[in-house]
Amino acid sequence: MSSEQFVRGMLYLSLTVVGVPGNTVVILAFLLLLHQENRLLPADAIILHLACANLLVVGVRCLLETLASFRLANIFGDIGCKAVIFVYRTSRSLSIWLTFVLSAYQCLSIAPPGSRWASARAFVAHYLGFVFLFLWLLNTCMSSAAILFSFDRQNNSTLTNHGINVEFCYVHFPSKLSKQANGAAQVGRDVVPMALMTLASLIILVFLYKHSQQVKGLRSSSGVSGGGSSGAEQRAAKAVVALVTLYVVLYGVDNGLWVYTLTVRKTMSSSLISDLRIFFSSLYAALSPVVIIVSNKKVNGRQAWKCCHMNF
């Protein structure tokens, strides 16, 4: 094994050992909460769905890349390449859109009762299942090119035009136009939710700043400290802002490298750029459950794990 493959394997292994247990903990915590209370709040349902998508990203791509890099197992034949790249791209983009949905819903949650935005929040909560279904259909359709154009690298080692080298596989497009069109569609699929979730986060930050100023004013005038449910809402809002910031940084690097990949005329002989792209996008899937576990009391609190002990 070359040193390059060893480093590559260790990087993917680090994502696997953090992302798989982390997302599993989040999923189990909310499933236990669902078992205990027979329902989930809309924000909790979004986080549960997000953790499932992130687990697919880390479990399917990073784990299999780790096994292949250390030559423990290798499923990257033609069918394996098509399946892994398709599932990875679908779950990756689903994770992005669910982060946007979470930030948008949290933004609507800070709206005053009786306002139009509060009505919009109720509407989204009522039809949240349809939102999930729409996102699955949208991202599945937009990832279908992986099924058509992904091949085993060993059987296509002479393909040098209009392709993308991802170490064990080639994503080979039939023409320059199809490569650029597919690349532009993927960039658009990422940039649109990025812009929207950034806007939602800015609104949340403005609200938190104004609220803190009001609380300071009340404390200075009456000496009564604030608290209650507003504190929980602020913690949830701050956690969402942290997730969005993490997303913008990591996926911003990912998309920058993707645009660079689209500009090269021939398939690169090295998979370094593709590996960096996959690493940064998978890093979000691995680190986001850490943010959720630290900030969400329903995950790190003792209540869910008491339920686990009682049932098992």
Side-chain angles (χ1 to χ4, degrees), residues 117-128:
W117 295 114
S119 300
R121 179 189 62 187
F123 180 84
V124 172
H126 184 72
Y127 292 102
L128 192 58

Side-chain angles (χ1 to χ4, degrees), residues 47-273:
I47 295 175
L48 173 60
H49 214 74
L50 175 62
C52 291
N54 288 335
L55 183 60
L56 278 176
V57 171
V58 181
V60 171
R61 193 60 190 262
C62 296
L63 177 59
L64 294 179
E65 291 279 356
T66 300
L67 296 176
S69 296
F70 289 122
R71 299 178 182 177
L72 299 175
N74 188 3
I75 68 163
F76 291 104
D78 280 351
I79 296 177
C81 285
K82 294 177 186 294
V84 169
I85 295 177
F86 172 74
V87 173
Y88 166 73
R89 287 188 176 181
T90 301
S91 54
R92 170 193 177 278
S93 57
L94 187 63
S95 174
I96 296 171
W97 279 95
L98 287 170
T99 304
F100 156 65
V101 172
L102 180 62
S103 63
Y105 185 80
Q106 188 61 50
C107 183
L108 293 174
S109 297
I110 63 178
S115 65
R116 293 181 179 179
W117 295 114
S119 300
R121 179 189 62 187
F123 180 84
V124 172
H126 184 72
Y127 292 102
L128 192 58
F130 291 100
V131 173
F132 291 154
L133 178 60
F134 170 75
L135 292 179
W136 269 105
L137 292 175
L138 172 66
N139 291 294
T140 298
C141 292
M142 295 192 69
S143 301
S144 59
I147 300 177
L148 299 175
F149 305 132
S150 299
F151 302 97
D152 178 13
R153 178 176 179 178
Q154 293 181 354
N155 296 333
N156 298 274
S157 58
T158 59
L159 300 178
T160 56
N161 294 323
H162 320 306
I164 300 173
N165 183 354
V166 286
E167 184 60 28
F168 300 107
C169 306
Y170 270 133
V171 182
H172 179 70
F173 297 97
S175 65
K176 180 180 179 180
L177 179 61
S178 62
K179 177 183 177 181
Q180 292 178 341
N182 181 265
Q186 289 194 48
V187 172
R189 181 176 61 181
D190 291 355
V191 170
V192 170
M194 181 189 297
L196 293 175
M197 74 175 68
T198 301
L199 177 61
S201 297
L202 290 175
I203 294 174
I204 293 173
L205 289 174
V206 171
F207 168 80
L208 291 176
Y209 175 75
K210 290 183 177 180
H211 185 269
S212 65
Q213 295 299 110
Q214 292 174 354
V215 170
K216 288 180 181 179
L218 290 175
R219 287 177 177 175
S220 61
S221 61
S222 62
V224 178
S225 60
S229 62
S230 62
E233 291 177 357
Q234 288 187 50
R235 287 192 297 270
K238 291 177 181 178
V240 170
V241 171
L243 283 174
V244 171
T245 303
L246 184 66
Y247 161 79
V248 171
V249 172
L250 297 180
Y251 279 98
V253 176
D254 174 20
N255 278 284
L257 294 173
W258 175 243
V259 171
Y260 172 77
T261 302
L262 297 175
T263 60
V264 297
R265 295 183 178 181
K266 293 185 178 182
T267 303
M268 290 179 285
S269 58
S270 172
S271 64
L272 176 61
I273 299 299

Side-chain angles (χ1 to χ4, degrees), residues 17-34:
V17 297
V18 174
V20 171
N23 285 294
T24 301
V25 166
V26 174
I27 293 170
L28 288 178
F30 282 113
L31 288 180
L32 289 170
L33 185 64
L34 176 62

